[in-house]
Amino acid sequence: MDEAHRSTAESIRSLIVRSLASSAMFRAALTSVPPLERDPWLDLVFGLQSLPDDSSELPQGCVPYLPCSVDAILRIVDCAGVQASDVFVDVGSGVGRAAVLVHLLTGASTIGLEIQSQLVHASRDLMTRLNVSRFSPVQGDAVELTEFMTIGSIFFLYCPFGGARLEKVLDDLEPIARTRPIRVCSVDLPLPSRRWLTPMVPPSGDIAVYRSTLLDR
Ligand SMILES: C[S@@+](CC[C@H](N)C(=O)[O-])C[C@H]1O[C@@H](n2cnc3c(N)ncnc32)[C@H](O)[C@@H]1O
């Protein structure tokens, strides 16, 4: 990474830590970096080094930690229209990288559901390093926890699991969607169809963004 981008990473990090980085400032700094360099740039801002190991807490059939690309998250934020008033729930949140990125880009409050305790600890370390408070990492099985996320307005899945687990999570979101409109977004994970979910934009490449229709007139 060239020295100019290294320098913007340090400057924006210093502003975040002092709660002086607005969403617009953060986005402008991020998008001033060429697309291929945005992931290492973000890791520099967040102080994230090597990928953490997965542990035996990860159930068989669930997907290990791999961070979602900055590029996919930017497209999700734009297609789903994430606002500061939203509560963004990352289902399988790893070290909190995606959730904290969405918070910095939009001002939204974020919640992360993560089954591996060392990743939840890493999420709390990230919050402490950046002095970010509007992110709540919750440790546990997202398959059991999602139904309790009744304050969530946007649910994000970067392929934590598929099959019966994914079906249950979608079915558990339906009662929430009966009380408020929600959006469900996924990356690299085609969602099984549900009558109450309709695409907000035609699925394109790796991302899909749906909105609930249960409260439509
Ligand atoms: C592909 S990573 C995505 C991480 C994060 N969402 C991101 O985009 O940077 C999938 C994450 O889901 C977590 N995961 C897998 N199964 C889970 C489950 N049943 N409950 C909670 N988290 C789970 C894994 O531990 C891993 O951190």
Side-chain angles (χ1 to χ4, degrees):
M1 184 181 312
D2 75 27
E3 207 40 55
H5 299 318
R6 227 169 247 290
S7 164
T8 62
E10 276 158 27
S11 313
I12 201 75
R13 181 184 177 145
S14 155
L15 291 171
I16 294 167
V17 169
R18 289 178 289 142
S19 305
L20 294 175
S22 67
S23 300
M25 284 163 68
F26 178 75
R27 188 177 179 123
L30 173 63
T31 54
S32 73
V33 177
L36 287 177
E37 291 189 38
R38 287 177 189 165
D39 283 285
W41 182 88
L42 186 73
D43 289 338
L44 202 57
V45 174
F46 283 12
L48 294 170
Q49 281 142 18
S50 51
L51 277 187
D53 290 331
D54 292 287
S55 76
S56 57
E57 290 169 333
L58 185 69
Q60 218 173 10
C62 291
V63 177
Y65 176 63
L66 191 68
C68 187
S69 70
V70 167
D71 170 62
I73 292 170
L74 276 171
R75 284 179 288 128
I76 290 274
V77 160
D78 291 342
C79 291
V82 184
Q83 306 285 321
S85 53
D86 279 309
V87 177
F88 179 97
V89 181
D90 186 357
V91 179
S93 53
V95 302
R97 184 181 185 269
V100 172
L101 173 57
V102 169
H103 167 64
L104 292 172
L105 283 169
T106 65
S109 297
T110 57
I111 296 173
L113 307 180
E114 174 54 56
I115 203 161
Q116 299 192 64
S117 52
Q118 85 281 9
L119 302 184
V120 174
H121 289 139
S123 304
R124 298 197 176 116
D125 289 346
L126 175 61
M127 292 175 70
T128 305
R129 272 200 306 282
L130 293 183
N131 189 28
V132 166
S133 59
R134 287 178 65 193
F135 168 45
S136 307
V138 178
Q139 191 195 341
D141 187 345
V143 180
E144 305 304 327
L145 290 174
T146 300
E147 66 179 298
F148 301 108
M149 298 297 120
T150 54
I151 58 168
S153 58
I154 303 188
F155 293 82
F156 169 73
L157 298 103
Y158 176 36
C159 45
F161 38 65
R165 288 182 172 97
L166 180 57
E167 300 270 355
K168 179 177 182 322
V169 163
L170 286 182
D171 289 338
D172 287 349
L173 289 176
E174 183 176 344
I176 301 175
R178 288 192 184 284
T179 66
R180 55 162 67 222
I182 64 169
R183 282 149 282 169
V184 183
C185 317
S186 65
V187 177
D188 288 341
L189 181 68
L191 295 184
S193 111
R194 288 293 181 275
R195 273 198 308 203
W196 56 274
L197 277 179
T198 192
M200 287 180 74
V201 286
S204 79
D206 53 346
I207 72 165
V209 180
Y210 295 83
R211 68 176 182 83
S212 61
T213 54
L214 289 165
L215 298 175
D216 288 1
R217 286 165 195 271

